[in-house]
């Protein structure tokens, strides 16, 4: 099976996005410097014992390029972030400048899921799994 092993967040304001993801999810983000194109490594934490799914780490890079179709900057896959309390997380997202994409919904036999946008417009999901 081919597994996702890394993700990237494309950001117009790297410092603002670093602050947002650190405040909401506690992610550790390290700037790799000019020689690495100001790429930032994102550590989302260690896999939790008993977690429904193992996690991955990622990176952040400056948003660039235009889509030949509509002239918009680079777009990417949607990542879903596992949380223990979706309501508390949604509140943190709002306080940190995130916006609504979809309302919280129940996914049968999976958990509660909601989609939000970070302050730079990147779409992401948060999932509170049911206990398995």
């Amino acid at each position: 099976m081919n597994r996702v092993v890394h993700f990237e967040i494309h950001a117009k304001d790297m410092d603002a996005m670093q602050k947002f993801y650190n405040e909401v999810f506690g992610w550790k983000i390290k700037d790799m410097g000019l020689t690495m194109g100001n790429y930032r490594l994102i550590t989302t934490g260690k896999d939790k014992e008993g977690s429904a799914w193992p996690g991955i780490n990622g990176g952040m890079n400056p948003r660039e390029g235009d889509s030949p179709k509509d002239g918009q900057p680079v777009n990417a896959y949607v990542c879903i972030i596992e949380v223990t309390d979706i309501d508390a997380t949604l509140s943190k997202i709002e306080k940190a400048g995130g916006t609504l994409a979809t309302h919280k919904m129940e996914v049968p036999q999976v958990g509660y899921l909601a989609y939000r946008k970070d302050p730079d417009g990147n779409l992401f999901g948060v999932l509170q799994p049911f206990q398995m």
Side-chain angles (χ1 to χ4, degrees), residues 13 21 27 35 37 42-43 74 78 85 91 104 111 117 120:
D13 184 338
Y21 284 99
W27 293 353
T35 59
I42 300 173
T43 303
V74 173
V78 175
D85 183 339
S91 178
K104 179 177 80 171
K117 291 183 181 180
D120 205 16

Side-chain angles (χ1 to χ4, degrees), residues 49-115:
E49 193 169 319
S51 175
W53 299 278
I56 60 173
N57 295 317
M60 182 185 307
N61 56 322
R63 187 182 304 275
E64 56 184 91
D66 288 336
S67 161
K69 181 179 177 187
D70 57 15
Q72 296 298 311
V74 173
N75 206 347
Y77 286 26
V78 175
C79 291
I80 311 296
I81 303 155
E82 180 182 348
V83 300
T84 56
D85 183 339
I86 195 166
D87 293 321
T89 301
L90 295 176
S91 178
K92 282 175 148 181
I93 291 167
E94 185 178 333
K95 288 177 186 170
T99 58
L100 174 78
T102 70
H103 293 286
K104 179 177 80 171
M105 64 192 98
E106 182 176 335
V107 180
Q109 300 179 346
V110 175
Y112 293 103
L113 173 68
Y115 291 94

Side-chain angles (χ1 to χ4, degrees), residues 4-73:
V4 176
V5 296
H6 186 81
F7 67 87
E8 289 183 338
I9 299 168
H10 293 255
K12 184 170 54 173
D13 184 338
M14 303 268 287
D15 293 333
M17 291 303 92
Q18 180 170 335
K19 183 176 187 259
F20 175 83
Y21 284 99
N22 179 262
E23 283 181 5
V24 174
F25 299 112
W27 293 353
K28 305 300 177 211
I29 301 174
K30 179 182 178 186
D31 190 336
M32 300 305 290
L34 190 58
T35 59
M36 295 295 288
N38 294 317
Y39 193 83
R40 297 182 188 193
L41 289 177
I42 300 173
T43 303
T44 63
K46 298 178 181 176
D47 289 343
K48 296 180 289 184
E49 193 169 319
S51 175
W53 299 278
I56 60 173
N57 295 317
M60 182 185 307
N61 56 322
R63 187 182 304 275
E64 56 184 91
D66 288 336
S67 161
K69 181 179 177 187
D70 57 15
Q72 296 298 311

